Amino acid sequence: MSATGGADVVHGARVPTPRWWRPYRDVPLVIVGIASLVAAIVGWTVQARLDADAAVIAPVTSDDAATLGGAACRPASEAPATEPWISDPSAANDVWRQNADALAGPVVSGLDGWAFYNDQVESNFSQAVGRRLLTVTEVAAWRNYFASIAKALDARGIELSIQVTPSASSVYPEKLPEWAQGVRGSTPLDQLLAASPDLPMVDFRPELRDAARDDAVFTPVNSHWTDWGGYVGWQTYARCHAALYPAAPAVTVPETVGVESTGIFNEYASYGIPDAGPAWTAPRYATEPTPIDVTDGVGATTSVTGATPIDLLRLPATTRAENPASAQTALVLRDSMGNALSSLWAHQYAQTWQIQHRYDDWSNPPNFATLVDQYKPNVVIIQLAERHLVNAPPTGSGF
């Protein structure tokens, strides 16, 4: 009740609408309706574009001839003669189905005793022939991921090198099965390189292919490049680094006096694949590298001979060499393909922190902001195996 004894008055209740307003009283509702419709149309359009990008295969080449670092980082590479999975995927899939028996196991046998992981391992064999290419969305996810890291590191004056270490099939495509030769096209690595001309990315494949004419840089029964293959890759990295960071301390390439063969390290033996040569190769250094102190994740420090790889199972690991080539420090995010580069990193930099990135599982990705704040490196190296590229980063990943 009001103080006058009448009923309480609710503001605006039963108040007559002025005559001049009556024709416009529904205008606010109309405006809200139009705004809602526009928002819906924009949402549908954006979603339609996202859906389309998620289905469309990204380009395998680029018209942009200018790349960061030029030929020093991305030497000229011969493209596949055809793109069967793009130009005629139906026919290529027919060939795939006709060879179902050869694709039945976890390992696919190639020519001359060579073997390759099948699709149970990150669609490996489909990547090898170009059957599994990346969509526009997937390529954009990788590009945005690396670009965010590059921008943040550049603002801090930190060098960055992105090193996608190729699969054996990318260096020895002629060793794929005979039936696969006719359906071999470009790979996800070609797509990422085409989309990222402005990123500090190294393409190791051309020089590895050249070196393979003389000495093995992969062996028939192991998916990892050999220690000699890693050394060849290091030479490419040194030239690329000089082009990208001419004012920085040079990446030193230790002198060698030859290549030595060691054992047959058969990664596929448990799948019934017989041993095959040539054997694993390693550089013979002109001067024996000095020992490396390696501190593992639990704080235990051991000294290893200078050319001994630091295996992935020892990570996270900190290294210190007696006479490093530079006073710089390096944060290295790596996988098992980094074994062949690990001692070279350790001798180049006064201190390295080598950490597994786990790009095969994005449930716990590396936190670059935290790692950079913790270690304050001069250099960041991201090394990842080519086959990880089918695992595109989730939205919001990066620095």
Side-chain angles (χ1 to χ4, degrees):
M1 299 292 290
S2 69
T4 60
D8 289 337
V9 176
V10 179
H11 183 71
R14 296 185 181 180
V15 177
T17 303
R19 293 189 179 187
W20 63 268
W21 174 251
R22 287 177 184 172
Y24 307 104
R25 60 188 173 188
D26 293 328
V27 168
L29 294 176
V30 172
I31 293 173
V32 170
I34 292 173
S36 299
L37 180 59
V38 170
I41 292 172
V42 170
W44 294 330
T45 302
V46 171
Q47 188 59 52
R49 191 191 69 216
L50 293 175
D51 291 343
D53 288 350
V56 174
I57 297 300
V60 297
T61 59
S62 172
D63 294 332
D64 189 347
T67 58
L68 196 62
C73 295
R74 305 187 191 184
S77 180
E78 184 178 352
T82 61
E83 298 290 354
W85 299 98
I86 297 174
S87 60
D88 194 353
S90 178
N93 269 311
D94 285 343
V95 174
W96 187 271
R97 285 190 291 268
Q98 290 162 13
N99 290 277
D101 290 345
L103 293 162
V107 177
V108 180
S109 295
L111 301 175
D112 303 323
W114 281 74
F116 306 90
Y117 278 121
N118 203 349
D119 282 358
Q120 291 90 333
V121 179
E122 298 177 294
S123 301
N124 185 73
F125 199 74
S126 284
Q127 287 195 70
V129 298
R131 178 174 181 259
R132 173 59 164 98
L133 290 169
L134 302 183
T135 65
V136 170
T137 297
E138 290 173 318
V139 169
W142 276 116
R143 174 178 166 70
N144 293 340
Y145 176 77
F146 288 134
S148 71
I149 296 168
K151 181 179 179 180
L153 294 181
D154 182 65
R156 290 164 172 78
I158 299 173
E159 299 175 21
L160 172 64
S161 178
I162 302 167
Q163 306 179 3
V164 183
T165 43
S167 300
S169 56
S170 287
V171 179
Y172 291 88
E174 71 277 7
K175 299 301 183 182
L176 291 166
E178 186 174 359
W179 65 264
Q181 296 296 330
V183 292
R184 181 173 62 84
S186 295
T187 68
L189 179 51
D190 294 303
Q191 295 176 292
L192 180 59
L193 289 168
S196 309
D198 57 337
L199 292 181
M201 193 173 296
V202 185
D203 186 1
F204 294 116
R205 297 172 300 175
E207 294 186 351
L208 284 169
R209 291 166 184 162
D210 289 343
R213 297 189 182 103
D214 298 319
D215 297 287
V217 293
F218 284 83
T219 63
V221 290
N222 201 297
S223 68
H224 300 81
W225 57 1
T226 65
D227 295 334
W228 176 248
Y231 178 84
V232 173
W234 184 261
Q235 293 174 304
T236 306
Y237 168 49
R239 283 191 288 273
C240 178
H241 178 269
L244 293 176
Y245 304 105
V251 170
T252 300
V253 179
E255 183 182 355
T256 62
V257 293
V259 182
E260 61 183 3
S261 295
T262 56
I264 302 289
F265 303 121
N266 189 346
E267 189 177 358
Y268 309 116
S270 62
Y271 302 108
I273 301 298
D275 290 351
W280 192 269
T281 52
R284 292 175 54 206
Y285 290 109
T287 302
E288 184 66 23
T290 58
I292 302 168
D293 287 337
V294 181
T295 303
D296 61 23
V298 296
T301 299
T302 57
S303 181
V304 300
T305 57
T308 301
I310 300 163
D311 191 79
L312 181 71
L313 296 177
R314 298 200 65 180
L315 303 191
T318 302
T319 70
R320 295 179 183 84
E322 290 182 6
N323 298 300
S326 80
Q328 290 185 309
T329 60
L331 170 65
V332 182
L333 280 297
R334 51 160 288 202
D335 52 42
S336 58
M337 290 288 278
N339 284 9
L341 296 171
S342 56
S343 66
L344 292 161
W345 288 324
H347 284 289
Q348 173 65 31
Y349 302 108
Q351 187 170 6
T352 75
W353 301 276
Q354 300 186 26
I355 299 170
Q356 186 177 8
H357 52 59
R358 294 314 304 261
Y359 288 153
D360 57 341
D361 176 10
W362 285 94
S363 63
N364 187 26
N367 187 320
F368 279 90
T370 298
L371 292 170
V372 167
D373 286 345
Q374 178 181 353
Y375 296 117
K376 297 178 173 55
N378 304 114
V379 177
V380 170
I381 296 172
I382 303 174
Q383 172 276 310
L384 67 153
E386 180 180 3
R387 67 189 184 205
H388 291 328
L389 292 180
V390 293
N391 305 314
T395 302
S397 302
F399 204 100

